[in-house]
Amino acid sequence: PLVSTTAERGTLFPTPSTNQRVQNLETGSVERYNGSSWVTMTPASTVVVNVKDALYGATGDGVTNDTTAIQAALAACTAGSVLFFPAGTYVVTATLTIPVSRITIRGEGAEVSRLIGTMATTTHSVLVASSLDDVTITDLGIGGSHSWGVLISGGSGHRILRNRVSGGVYRDGSGSKGGGLFVENASDVVVDGNTFESNGVTDQSAWFDILFNYGTYSVTDSRITGNHCKSTNADINICTFDCRRVLVQDNIVTGADTPSSPGTTGGYGIAMYRNSGFSAANAGEHVITGNHVYAVDGTGIYVQSMRDCVVTGNLVEDSCSAQADTTLTVAGIALHDSAGCVVSGNKILDSGQSGVGVTTSVTNANKCVVTGNQIENCTTWGVCVRGVVEDLMVSGNTIINCVRDGVGS
């Protein structure tokens, strides 16, 4: 974010998180909070490494295996470098491991600069960054047949911008998941303006367009904005596990399907989970706003075991078409085992279950608010409340032409 003065920085970030970055217009520098003080980040000089340079020899002809050439170009990069892919189709058969922090991987546009991963080992991802900071991947098409198109593990300041990612049809090394973009154990990550499509395999679970974290490590203070996620075989289009303070805004989300038959868990458009129970205080504080979620088999927007999340100003259409309302909440927008969350100002149309669902299986899910939503043409309740839900406020919602207009359980 931009701050006009050092004083404004202190006002906006009185207790900044470690690795929080700002651009200070007063000093003209980018500053990072290192855990105890703000420090100025000194940019390295920019060196452009062109993968088609004769020194490296990538062809981009869509036929030649360019893996070795691109790996050589990567090895030539230092902090501050730009690895440039001119227009072309680059075939790779092994993971391209990004070697240094403060590097930009850039094409001429996602439609003309394309990396095609035809992996010899199906658990391989195309682009991988591990324990680095400030990695930018932009204006590339990433396709073929691979595990993850992009995998980021660790660090902060990463930017994934204006790419088109497809072809995540194999499981990763743990054998449990795959898809478009996977980020774990990182902070200050921005995923903006990308298109995700054709990720996942029919009738299998744990496929994602975008996945933040999966298990032990958290992603914090990050943004998923302005993306088009439309993989029809994705189990969940956009998903976070055990994360904190993630903004999910202005995305178009469609196509998520259940793994096999109606009644099977899956088919969520946007899902924000805590994977290991409600008790941890470090999961939640997400904002989910301005998204358009439509034509998904399960819940449009799902928040589970989270605290202090805001779901506002979203349009959810044609959800819950192939998932039964059994153990987990199934609705256009659903809260399960969550506390202090607000669902307001959303429009929910044509849900195959309830418009908004609030359920709990624990005793400390409380103080949620459902207000000012427009709910139309749902096949059960406008608002469904189930379990021991305490201190819930439901007010000012407009509920029209639902099978059971009103609030029920």
Side-chain angles (χ1 to χ4, degrees):
L2 295 174
V3 297
S4 299
T5 64
T6 300
E8 184 183 47
R9 183 194 67 192
T11 300
L12 293 177
F13 301 96
T15 55
S17 58
T18 299
N19 290 322
Q20 173 67 54
R21 286 168 169 75
V22 299
Q23 184 172 354
N24 191 329
L25 298 181
E26 183 179 39
T27 63
S29 61
V30 175
E31 299 167 344
R32 178 178 66 86
Y33 190 73
N34 65 8
S36 59
S37 63
W38 292 93
V39 296
T40 299
M41 298 177 64
T42 303
S45 58
T46 300
V47 175
V48 177
V49 177
N50 187 327
V51 298
K52 283 189 174 181
D53 190 289
L55 188 62
Y56 315 112
T59 64
D61 63 7
V63 177
T64 304
N65 185 346
D66 284 325
T67 306
T68 301
I70 296 171
Q71 288 172 334
L74 277 166
C77 292
T78 57
S81 292
V82 173
L83 182 69
F84 178 57
F85 287 83
T89 299
Y90 302 85
V91 176
V92 296
T93 57
T95 293
L96 302 174
T97 301
I98 299 169
V100 292
S101 296
R102 299 204 309 276
I103 185 173
T104 297
I105 314 293
R106 180 168 64 85
E108 289 192 69
E111 304 302 325
V112 297
S113 295
R114 303 179 67 234
L115 276 171
I116 303 299
T118 56
M119 298 307 185
T121 302
T122 57
T123 59
H124 283 184
S125 302
V126 179
L127 284 167
V128 172
S130 181
S131 301
L132 303 175
D133 295 318
D134 302 306
V135 171
T136 296
I137 300 172
T138 183
D139 297 304
L140 283 172
I142 301 172
S145 300
H146 49 80
S147 175
W148 295 101
V150 177
L151 190 157
I152 305 287
S153 180
S156 65
H158 305 303
R159 302 291 183 262
I160 312 298
L161 310 173
R162 300 185 303 275
N163 304 286
R164 180 179 291 270
V165 184
S166 63
V169 295
Y170 297 128
R171 303 295 189 186
D172 61 13
S174 65
S176 61
K177 58 195 179 297
L181 169 67
F182 178 42
V183 181
E184 65 176 353
N185 192 26
S187 64
D188 185 25
V189 177
V190 176
V191 181
D192 182 79
N194 305 279
T195 298
F196 296 88
E197 59 188 352
S198 302
N199 296 300
V201 174
T202 302
D203 290 343
Q204 294 183 13
S205 61
W207 297 104
F208 308 88
D209 279 330
I210 300 172
L211 175 59
F212 274 15
N213 196 33
Y214 196 84
T216 305
Y217 304 108
S218 180
V219 176
T220 61
D221 301 300
S222 296
R223 307 199 303 270
I224 302 171
T225 56
N227 302 285
H228 191 178
C229 299
K230 56 180 180 177
S231 292
T232 56
N233 288 325
D235 186 33
I236 304 173
N237 290 114
I238 297 175
C239 183
T240 71
F241 276 93
D242 300 335
C243 297
R244 190 175 187 184
R245 293 190 300 269
V246 176
L247 171 66
V248 181
Q249 182 176 19
D250 295 336
N251 301 284
I252 300 173
V253 179
T254 186
D257 72 346
T258 52
S260 53
S261 59
T264 304
T265 300
Y268 299 107
I270 299 171
M272 319 292 277
Y273 287 96
R274 172 156 175 79
N275 199 33
S276 53
F278 179 74
S279 59
N282 64 345
E285 301 179 48
H286 303 308
V287 176
I288 305 145
T289 183
N291 302 284
H292 183 191
V293 181
Y294 68 97
V296 294
D297 280 3
T299 295
I301 299 174
Y302 183 72
V303 178
Q304 176 178 315
S305 302
M306 289 284 149
R307 61 178 71 239
D308 302 325
C309 295
V310 176
V311 183
T312 185
N314 302 283
L315 171 60
V316 179
E317 301 180 275
D318 190 21
S319 61
C320 309
S321 60
Q323 188 177 351
D325 187 359
T326 55
T327 304
L328 298 176
T329 316
V330 182
I333 297 175
L335 305 179
H336 181 68
D337 287 352
S338 295
C341 295
V342 176
V343 178
S344 68
N346 302 283
K347 181 180 287 188
I348 304 156
L349 309 176
D350 303 308
S351 169
Q353 297 288 339
S354 299
V356 176
V358 182
T359 63
T360 179
S361 59
V362 297
T363 59
N364 56 347
N366 52 39
K367 296 183 179 178
C368 291
V369 176
V370 179
T371 185
N373 301 286
Q374 181 178 338
I375 303 168
E376 299 183 20
N377 303 323
C378 300
T379 62
T380 59
W381 292 102
V383 178
C384 178
V385 181
R386 185 179 301 149
V388 184
V389 180
E390 300 177 351
D391 298 323
L392 171 67
M393 184 179 79
V394 180
S395 69
N397 300 286
T398 302
I399 301 173
I400 301 172
N401 198 33
C402 296
V403 173
R404 299 173 180 174
D405 289 340
V407 180
S409 61

